[in-house]
Structure formats: C-alpha cells, structure tokens
Coordinates of all heavy atoms in Angstrom, one line a residue:
L1 N 160.4 83.4 127.0 CA 160.9 84.0 125.8 C 162.0 85.0 126.3 O 161.8 85.8 127.1 CB 159.8 84.8 125.1 CG 160.0 85.2 123.7 CD1 160.4 84.1 122.8 CD2 158.7 85.9 123.3
T2 N 163.2 84.9 125.6 CA 164.3 85.8 126.0 C 164.6 86.8 124.9 O 164.0 86.6 123.8 CB 165.6 84.9 126.3 OG1 166.0 84.4 125.1 CG2 165.3 83.9 127.4
A3 N 165.5 87.7 125.1 CA 166.0 88.6 124.1 C 166.7 87.9 122.9 O 166.8 88.6 121.9 CB 166.8 89.7 124.7
D4 N 167.0 86.7 123.1 CA 167.6 85.9 122.0 C 166.6 85.6 121.0 O 166.9 85.1 119.9 CB 168.3 84.6 122.6 CG 169.5 84.9 123.4 OD1 170.2 86.0 123.2 OD2 169.8 84.1 124.3
G5 N 165.3 85.7 121.3 CA 164.2 85.5 120.4 C 163.6 84.1 120.5 O 163.9 83.4 121.4
E6 N 162.9 83.8 119.5 CA 162.2 82.5 119.5 C 163.0 81.5 118.7 O 163.8 81.8 117.9 CB 160.8 82.7 118.8 CG 160.0 83.8 119.4 CD 158.8 84.0 118.5 OE1 157.9 83.1 118.4 OE2 158.7 85.2 118.0
A7 N 162.6 80.2 118.9 CA 163.2 79.2 118.1 C 162.6 79.2 116.7 O 161.5 79.5 116.6 CB 163.0 77.8 118.8
G8 N 163.4 79.0 115.8 CA 163.0 78.9 114.4 C 163.8 79.8 113.5 O 164.5 80.7 114.0
L9 N 163.7 79.6 112.2 CA 164.4 80.4 111.3 C 163.7 81.8 111.2 O 162.5 81.9 111.3 CB 164.4 79.7 109.9 CG 165.1 78.4 109.8 CD1 164.9 77.8 108.5 CD2 166.6 78.6 110.1
P10 N 164.5 82.9 111.0 CA 163.9 84.2 110.9 C 162.8 84.3 109.9 O 161.8 84.9 110.1 CB 165.1 85.1 110.5 CG 166.3 84.4 111.1 CD 166.0 82.9 111.0
R11 N 163.0 83.6 108.7 CA 161.9 83.7 107.7 C 160.6 83.1 108.2 O 159.5 83.6 107.9 CB 162.4 83.1 106.4 CG 161.4 83.1 105.2 CD 161.1 84.5 104.8 NE 160.1 84.6 103.8 CZ 160.3 84.8 102.5 NH1 161.5 85.0 102.1 NH2 159.3 84.9 101.7
E12 N 160.8 81.9 108.9 CA 159.6 81.3 109.4 C 158.8 82.1 110.4 O 157.6 82.3 110.4 CB 160.0 79.9 110.1 CG 160.5 78.9 109.1 CD 161.1 77.7 109.8 OE1 161.3 77.7 111.0 OE2 161.4 76.7 109.1
I13 N 159.6 82.8 111.3 CA 159.0 83.7 112.3 C 158.3 84.9 111.6 O 157.2 85.2 111.9 CB 160.1 84.1 113.3 CG1 160.6 82.9 114.1 CG2 159.5 85.2 114.3 CD1 161.8 83.2 115.0
H14 N 159.0 85.5 110.7 CA 158.5 86.6 109.9 C 157.1 86.2 109.3 O 156.1 86.9 109.4 CB 159.5 87.0 108.9 CG 159.0 88.1 107.9 ND1 158.3 87.7 106.8 CD2 158.9 89.4 107.9 CE1 157.9 88.8 106.1 NE2 158.3 89.9 106.8
D15 N 157.1 85.1 108.5 CA 155.9 84.7 107.8 C 154.8 84.3 108.7 O 153.7 84.7 108.4 CB 156.3 83.6 106.8 CG 157.2 84.0 105.7 OD1 157.5 85.2 105.5 OD2 157.7 83.1 104.9
R16 N 155.1 83.6 109.8 CA 154.1 83.2 110.7 C 153.5 84.5 111.4 O 152.3 84.6 111.4 CB 154.7 82.3 111.8 CG 153.7 82.0 112.9 CD 154.3 81.6 114.2 NE 155.0 82.8 114.8 CZ 156.0 82.7 115.7 NH1 156.4 81.6 116.2 NH2 156.5 83.8 116.2
D17 N 154.3 85.4 111.8 CA 153.8 86.6 112.5 C 153.0 87.5 111.5 O 152.0 88.0 111.9 CB 154.9 87.4 113.1 CG 155.5 86.7 114.3 OD1 155.1 85.6 114.7 OD2 156.3 87.3 115.0
L18 N 153.4 87.6 110.2 CA 152.6 88.3 109.3 C 151.3 87.6 109.0 O 150.3 88.3 108.8 CB 153.4 88.6 108.0 CG 154.4 89.7 108.0 CD1 155.0 89.9 106.6 CD2 153.9 90.9 108.7
D19 N 151.3 86.3 109.0 CA 150.0 85.6 108.8 C 149.0 85.9 110.0 O 147.8 86.2 109.8 CB 150.2 84.1 108.7 CG 150.7 83.7 107.4 OD1 150.7 84.4 106.4 OD2 151.2 82.5 107.3
W20 N 149.6 85.9 111.2 CA 148.8 86.3 112.4 C 148.3 87.7 112.3 O 147.2 88.0 112.5 CB 149.6 86.1 113.7 CG 149.7 84.7 114.2 CD1 149.0 83.6 113.8 CD2 150.8 84.2 115.0 NE1 149.5 82.5 114.5 CE2 150.5 82.8 115.2 CE3 151.8 84.8 115.8 CZ2 151.3 82.1 116.1 CZ3 152.6 84.1 116.6 CH2 152.4 82.7 116.7
L21 N 149.2 88.6 111.9 CA 148.9 90.0 111.8 C 147.8 90.3 110.7 O 146.8 91.0 111.0 CB 150.2 90.8 111.4 CG 150.1 92.3 111.4 CD1 149.7 92.8 112.8 CD2 151.4 92.9 111.0
K22 N 147.9 89.6 109.6 CA 146.8 89.7 108.6 C 145.5 89.2 109.1 O 144.4 89.7 108.8 CB 147.2 88.9 107.4 CG 148.3 89.5 106.5 CD 148.6 88.7 105.3 CE 149.8 89.2 104.6 NZ 150.2 88.3 103.5
S23 N 145.5 88.2 109.9 CA 144.2 87.6 110.4 C 143.6 88.3 111.5 O 142.5 88.1 111.9 CB 144.4 86.1 110.8 OG 145.2 86.0 111.9
A24 N 144.4 89.3 112.1 CA 143.8 90.0 113.3 C 142.9 91.1 112.9 O 143.0 91.7 111.8 CB 145.0 90.6 114.1
D25 N 142.0 91.4 113.8 CA 141.0 92.5 113.6 C 141.7 93.8 114.0 O 141.3 94.9 113.6 CB 139.7 92.3 114.4 CG 139.0 91.0 114.0 OD1 138.8 90.8 112.8 OD2 138.6 90.3 114.9
V26 N 142.6 93.7 115.0 CA 143.1 94.9 115.7 C 144.5 94.6 116.2 O 144.8 93.4 116.5 CB 142.2 95.3 116.9 CG1 142.1 94.3 117.9 CG2 142.6 96.6 117.5
V27 N 145.3 95.6 116.3 CA 146.7 95.4 116.8 C 146.8 96.3 118.0 O 146.5 97.5 118.0 CB 147.7 95.9 115.8 CG1 149.2 95.8 116.4 CG2 147.6 95.0 114.5
V28 N 147.4 95.7 119.1 CA 147.7 96.5 120.3 C 149.1 96.3 120.5 O 149.6 95.2 120.6 CB 146.8 96.0 121.6 CG1 147.3 96.8 122.8 CG2 145.3 96.2 121.3
A29 N 149.9 97.4 120.6 CA 151.4 97.3 120.8 C 151.8 98.1 122.0 O 151.4 99.2 122.2 CB 152.0 97.9 119.6
E30 N 152.6 97.5 122.8 CA 153.2 98.2 123.9 C 154.5 98.7 123.4 O 155.4 97.9 123.0 CB 153.4 97.2 125.1 CG 153.4 97.9 126.5 CD 154.5 99.0 126.7 OE1 155.4 99.1 126.0 OE2 154.3 99.7 127.7
V31 N 154.7 100.0 123.3 CA 155.8 100.6 122.6 C 156.8 101.4 123.4 O 157.7 102.1 122.9 CB 155.3 101.6 121.5 CG1 154.6 100.8 120.4 CG2 154.4 102.7 122.0
T32 N 156.8 101.1 124.8 CA 157.7 101.8 125.7 C 159.2 101.4 125.4 O 160.1 102.2 125.3 CB 157.3 101.6 127.1 OG1 156.0 101.9 127.3 CG2 158.2 102.3 128.1
T33 N 159.4 100.1 125.2 CA 160.7 99.6 124.9 C 160.8 99.6 123.4 O 160.1 98.9 122.7 CB 160.9 98.2 125.4 OG1 160.9 98.2 126.9 CG2 162.3 97.6 125.1
P34 N 161.7 100.4 122.8 CA 161.9 100.5 121.4 C 162.2 99.1 120.8 O 163.0 98.4 121.3 CB 163.0 101.5 121.2 CG 163.1 102.3 122.4 CD 162.7 101.3 123.5
S35 N 161.6 98.8 119.6 CA 161.7 97.5 119.0 C 161.5 97.7 117.5 O 160.5 98.2 117.0 CB 160.7 96.5 119.5 OG 160.6 95.4 118.7
L36 N 162.5 97.3 116.7 CA 162.4 97.4 115.3 C 161.3 96.5 114.8 O 160.5 96.9 113.9 CB 163.7 96.9 114.6 CG 164.9 97.8 114.8 CD1 166.2 97.2 114.3 CD2 164.7 99.2 114.1
G37 N 161.1 95.3 115.3 CA 160.1 94.4 114.9 C 158.7 95.0 115.2 O 157.8 94.9 114.4
V38 N 158.5 95.6 116.4 CA 157.1 96.1 116.7 C 156.9 97.3 115.8 O 155.8 97.4 115.3 CB 157.1 96.6 118.2 CG1 155.8 97.4 118.5 CG2 157.2 95.4 119.1

C-alpha cells in the first residue's frame, strides 16, 4: 500500500471503510503521522 492510496473509487473506499468501522467493537488508531482520513 502506497501513499497513492488503494485501488478503487473514493466513494467505494469510503463506504467500505465506514461499513468496517460500523461493524467494529473498538478502534485503535496510530496517530503519529497526521492523516485527515484517520
């Protein structure tokens, strides 16, 4: 995975990741490198 991101349309990535986020019990984020997405 590179800084260019993942393959796929931005909307698909957004919706997939939000589905995963909704289904998770807990979120662990490494926040040392600033990221709008994180």
Side-chain angles (χ1 to χ4, degrees):
L1 194 56
T2 68
D4 292 332
E6 304 171 65
L9 297 173
R11 180 63 185 258
E12 292 169 351
I13 294 168
H14 171 273
D15 292 352
R16 178 205 64 199
D17 287 6
L18 281 188
D19 285 345
W20 284 340
L21 189 60
K22 284 179 188 174
S23 70
D25 299 315
V26 61
V27 175
V28 176
E30 209 301 343
V31 295
T32 306
T33 299
S35 166
L36 293 171
V38 172

